[in-house]
């Protein structure tokens, strides 16, 4: 550990993600944070960062600090204005002198001071009771990407608000800023809507589930849960205080078995009995698509108007992928609709659904997100593509699209598989994804054109919960791979594994402090064991 009882040098900082620039201010001297020291913040955004820093020091280190209204009384100062020179989006400067700590954020970036406070937190001890000794230095830092996200599937398995808040804190502590909340799918509808209460009355219930990979072994297990709108507002407010944007996902026009459980008449086979999915995997083996009828489009209007009203996020995710053409091709209603609207095939009908919803989302001043493998037909103006496919499996026309996009590559950023093929008790051991593979995963392959790199908005890690019924398994799957993702999201690349592995060792100490149940295989195989 770096900051136990002695002061480390600026070059030994174990901050993660790694700051852009660090320079020493003194030879071996340090500043010591003591009990009762004061924090000053000059505005509302800086004060949120100051409050988080104060609460963190008390909760994790047992170190009481006080917020004061006068800058001259404070040892730690957070300023949301006064940045010298032209600042980048999200840029901050952290200065440690013999007299205290000053964090200055770019005035046009509300989250900048908070990012600086997260860096300061990572310079603090990893054990309660150790005295914080900070080297005298200056850090100038800013993120490469504006979109730095983590996804959580609460459909296959539900997680309470208390855990969702923890998840958001972990996002913030890694200097990430988007929480992608996957709220609807074939296995359940988890969001209360006042306009359609039947969605949670019937669509949030399933009779059972399987163990193992599809088709697995089915067993009855009555399951039902959802978030009320008051809980959603509580989560949004909690995230906003940590400068994390909550992006809701409502899946259409496939992945809709939960909708059809509440509204079988919305199906292309309305006379068939419908229920939420009882298995995992891609459920389009069954008829899970919406029919193109006036009633369905009116329903989508209701849903997305209400979702846009409930979530202040600049992004609304509408899914859009994995629709099997078969179900529309076999439907007389769908075929007639396609004929009437000059739609040449089922893929064009899928695009028609996405355009319909995009008009609603854009009408609320928001950008619509959609998954690759179906949502490419969105109008590039007012949308962005969540790219999850392996790059070499995608048609060239999709690779070179004009869409802005987010890299959620399934082989590099999906934390659903195990870190090692031997860990089958955690997850069926397909496609193991080590921390190093996450770190090394190319954000833009050499085969992509220059437009693709320019349009890359950022990256996101995804945790699908089919095989994660408990919070323990979620944490075990996400950590420490999220550290590698955060490094790339901030720096835009992973190009020094040796240095990252050194800093990751201290990050594992922080995970111990934060009470995170992480996978320790990286320590056992790639980095030196720690003294704990």
């Amino acid at each position: 550990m770096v900051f136990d009882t002695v002061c480390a040098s600026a070059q030994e900082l174990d901050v993660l993600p790694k700051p852009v620039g660090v320079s020493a201010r003194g030879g071996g001297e340090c500043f010591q944070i003591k009990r009762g020291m004061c924090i000053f913040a000059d505005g509302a955004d800086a004060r949120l960062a100051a409050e988080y820093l104060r609460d963190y020091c008390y909760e994790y280190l047992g170190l009481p600090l006080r917020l004061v209204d006068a800058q001259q009384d404070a040892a730690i100062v957070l300023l949301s204005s006064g940045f010298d020179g032209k600042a980048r989006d999200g840029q901050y400067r952290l200065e440690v002198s013999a007299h205290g700590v000053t964090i200055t954020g770019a005035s046009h970036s509300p989250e900048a001071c908070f990012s600086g406070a997260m860096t300061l937190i990572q310079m603090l001890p990893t054990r309660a009771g150790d005295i914080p000794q900070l080297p005298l230095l200056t850090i100038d830092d800013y993120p490469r990407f504006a979109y730095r996200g983590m996804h959580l599937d609460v459909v296959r398995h539900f997680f309470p608000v208390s855990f969702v808040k923890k998840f958001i804190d972990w996002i913030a502590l890694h200097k990430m800023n988007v929480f992608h909340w996957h709220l609807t799918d074939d296995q359940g509808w988890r969001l209360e809507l006042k306009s359609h209460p039947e969605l949670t009355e019937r669509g949030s219930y399933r009779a059972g589930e399987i163990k193992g990979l599809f088709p697995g072994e089915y067993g009855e297990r009555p399951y039902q849960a959802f978030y009320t709108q008051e809980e959603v507002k509580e989560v949004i407010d909690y995230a906003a205080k940590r400068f994390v944007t909550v992006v809701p996902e409502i899946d259409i026009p496939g992945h809709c078995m939960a909708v059809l459980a509440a509204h079988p008449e919305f199906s292309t086979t309305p006379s068939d009995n419908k229920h939420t999915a009882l298995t995992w995997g891609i459920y389009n083996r069954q008829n899970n698509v919406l029919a193109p009828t006036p009633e369905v489009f009116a329903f989508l209007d209701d849903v997305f108007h209400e979702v846009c009203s409930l979530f202040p996020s600049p992004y609304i995710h509408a899914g859009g992928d994995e629709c099997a053409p078969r179900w529309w091709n076999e439907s007389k209603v769908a075929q007639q609709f396609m004929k009437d609207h000059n739609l040449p095939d089922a893929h064009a009908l899928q695009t028609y659904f996405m355009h319909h919803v995009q008009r609603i989302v854009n009408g609320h001043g928001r950008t619509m997100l959609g998954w690759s493998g179906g949502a490419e037909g969105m109008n590039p103006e007012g949308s962005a593509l969540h790219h999850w496919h392996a790059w070499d499996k995608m048609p060239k026309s999709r690779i070179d699209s004009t869409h802005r996009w987010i890299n959620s590559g399934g082989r590099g950023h999906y934390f659903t598989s195990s870190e090692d093929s031997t860990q089958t008790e955690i997850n069926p051991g397909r496609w193991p994804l080590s921390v190093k593979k996450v770190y090394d995963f190319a954000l833009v392959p050499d085969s992509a054109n220059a437009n693709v790199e320019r349009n890359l908005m950022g990256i996101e890690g995804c945790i699908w919960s089919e095989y994660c019924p408990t919070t323990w398994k979620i944490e075990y799957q996400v950590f420490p791979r999220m550290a590698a993702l955060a490094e790339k999201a901030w720096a835009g690349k992973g190009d020094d594994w040796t240095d990252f592995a050194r800093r990751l060792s201290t990050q594992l100490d922080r995970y111990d402090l934060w009470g995170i149940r992480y996978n320790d295989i990286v320590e056992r195989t790639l980095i030196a064991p720690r003294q704990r």
Side-chain angles (χ1 to χ4, degrees):
M1 289 181 294
V2 173
F3 297 109
D4 281 341
T5 57
V6 296
C7 190
S9 71
Q11 286 71 34
E12 293 176 301
L13 281 182
D14 286 344
V15 171
L16 194 154
K18 187 176 183 177
V20 172
V22 180
S23 57
R25 291 169 60 97
E29 295 181 72
C30 62
F31 173 74
Q32 186 178 116
I33 299 179
K34 300 177 181 178
R35 295 172 62 90
M37 278 186 167
C38 298
I39 308 173
F40 169 81
D42 72 347
D45 295 327
R47 188 171 182 87
L48 286 175
E51 289 172 348
Y52 193 95
L53 175 64
R54 176 200 61 191
D55 295 346
Y56 177 95
C57 287
Y58 187 74
E59 178 180 354
Y60 289 105
L61 301 176
L63 179 66
L65 302 175
R66 296 187 297 119
L67 264 63
V68 294
D69 294 328
Q71 181 173 342
Q72 63 267 25
D73 297 332
I76 302 172
V77 174
L78 287 83
L79 304 173
S80 55
S81 60
F83 200 100
D84 294 333
K86 186 177 180 180
R88 298 171 182 257
D89 289 344
Q91 187 167 356
Y92 69 90
R93 179 173 296 140
L94 188 157
E95 299 171 281
V96 182
S97 71
H99 306 291
V101 180
T102 301
I103 297 171
T104 308
S107 57
H108 66 281
S109 296
E111 75 283 3
C113 275
F114 191 86
S115 294
M118 295 308 98
T119 295
L120 178 57
I121 280 173
Q122 293 209 12
M123 294 168 64
L124 299 177
T126 56
R127 294 192 309 183
D130 286 347
I131 297 172
Q133 308 255 20
L134 308 182
L136 308 191
L137 52 69
T138 298
I139 294 175
D140 276 299
D141 198 15
Y142 53 85
R144 164 64 178 84
F145 294 118
Y147 189 109
R148 308 181 301 280
M150 270 301 301
H151 156 287
L152 178 64
D153 168 19
V154 297
V155 175
R156 281 52 177 250
H157 288 104
F158 179 85
F159 303 99
V161 166
S162 58
F163 180 75
V164 172
K165 288 180 175 179
K166 276 187 181 181
F167 199 81
I168 289 168
D169 272 316
W170 296 331
I171 290 171
L173 285 162
H174 285 77
K175 291 201 192 81
M176 299 177 80
N177 61 356
V178 175
F179 170 50
H180 177 174
W181 207 358
H182 186 79
L183 290 163
T184 78
D185 215 302
D186 292 310
Q187 291 81 7
W189 185 284
R190 305 289 176 220
L191 172 66
E192 178 193 31
L193 291 185
K194 304 295 186 182
S195 60
H196 288 277
E198 71 282 356
L199 289 170
T200 44
E201 289 169 4
R202 299 194 292 275
S204 67
Y205 171 83
R206 70 168 178 258
E209 61 185 51
I210 64 165
K211 292 182 180 179
L213 291 173
F214 181 87
E217 178 185 344
Y218 175 76
E220 289 190 8
R221 192 185 191 105
Y223 198 92
Q224 188 169 30
F226 62 90
Y227 302 98
T228 67
Q229 292 204 357
E230 288 308 307
E231 289 173 322
V232 168
K233 292 173 183 176
E234 182 181 341
V235 167
I236 292 170
D237 180 66
Y238 189 87
K241 291 176 180 176
R242 288 142 180 81
F243 298 91
V244 172
T245 297
V246 180
V247 176
E249 181 177 353
I250 307 297
D251 252 316
I252 62 101
H255 288 267
C256 282
M257 289 304 297
V259 175
L260 301 180
H263 288 284
E265 71 277 13
F266 290 173
S267 171
T268 62
T269 54
S271 60
D272 292 352
N273 185 37
K274 300 291 194 302
H275 54 75
T276 53
L278 307 176
T279 69
W280 314 135
I282 301 171
Y283 208 68
N284 58 14
R285 300 174 183 89
Q286 307 294 324
N287 187 349
N288 67 347
V289 300
L290 298 174
T293 65
E295 294 78 14
V296 166
F297 289 116
F299 165 79
L300 294 176
D301 291 349
D302 291 343
V303 167
F304 281 93
H305 279 304
E306 188 166 354
V307 168
C308 287
S309 298
L310 181 60
F311 288 88
S313 166
Y315 307 106
I316 303 294
H317 206 299
D321 68 337
E322 296 177 332
C323 296
R326 168 187 173 185
W327 310 115
W328 287 317
N329 290 339
E330 293 178 357
S331 165
K332 291 182 179 179
V333 170
Q335 289 297 304
Q336 187 60 50
F337 185 91
M338 291 162 64
K339 182 179 180 181
D340 293 344
H341 291 80
N342 297 315
L343 303 176
D345 54 27
H347 180 72
L349 176 57
Q350 186 174 344
T351 296
Y352 186 97
F353 272 102
M354 296 303 285
H355 283 171
H356 180 90
V357 172
Q358 185 178 350
R359 285 192 292 271
I360 300 169
V361 171
N362 293 166
H364 282 267
R366 319 297 179 79
T367 296
M368 191 165 95
L369 303 181
W371 293 111
S372 62
E376 286 82 1
M378 296 185 299
N379 181 357
E381 184 74 25
S383 74
L385 195 63
H386 243 112
H387 182 80
W388 68 271
H389 284 79
W391 205 269
D392 59 354
K393 304 297 183 186
M394 293 291 287
K396 191 176 190 314
S397 61
R398 294 180 181 177
I399 293 175
D400 294 339
S401 80
T402 57
H403 276 107
R404 292 182 300 155
W405 65 291
I406 298 153
N407 190 317
S408 296
R411 295 298 175 90
H413 296 159
Y414 269 35
F415 299 159
T416 307
S417 61
S418 296
E419 290 190 37
D420 187 271
S421 59
T422 64
Q423 298 182 307
T424 54
E425 77 280 8
I426 305 303
N427 182 281
R430 301 190 306 177
W431 309 309
L433 179 65
S434 67
V435 177
K436 191 172 190 304
K437 284 184 178 179
V438 176
Y439 186 80
D440 290 340
F441 183 70
L443 296 183
V444 181
D446 294 339
S447 59
N449 66 25
N451 245 1
V452 171
E453 185 166 7
R454 279 194 296 269
N455 288 337
L456 179 57
M457 297 164 53
I459 68 176
E460 181 174 287
C462 297
I463 179 70
W464 302 97
S465 65
E466 288 96 332
Y467 307 106
C468 298
T470 64
T471 58
W472 170 77
K473 280 199 171 182
I474 290 289
E475 293 175 38
Y476 208 83
Q477 294 293 85
V478 170
F479 299 103
R481 289 183 286 195
M482 185 175 168
L485 184 89
E487 178 100 346
K488 291 200 306 179
W490 190 265
K493 59 185 177 181
D495 60 359
D496 190 345
W497 168 255
T498 301
D499 179 64
F500 173 79
R502 177 186 63 80
R503 287 178 287 118
L504 180 60
S505 182
T506 301
Q507 185 75 355
L508 297 182
D509 289 337
R510 293 189 197 102
Y511 290 164
D512 288 335
L513 179 67
W514 299 343
I516 292 174
R517 296 162 287 191
Y518 56 88
N519 193 327
D520 66 351
I521 196 162
V522 67
E523 180 183 8
R524 290 188 278 121
T525 57
L526 294 175
I527 62 178
R530 298 167 294 140
Q531 293 183 353
R532 288 186 285 175

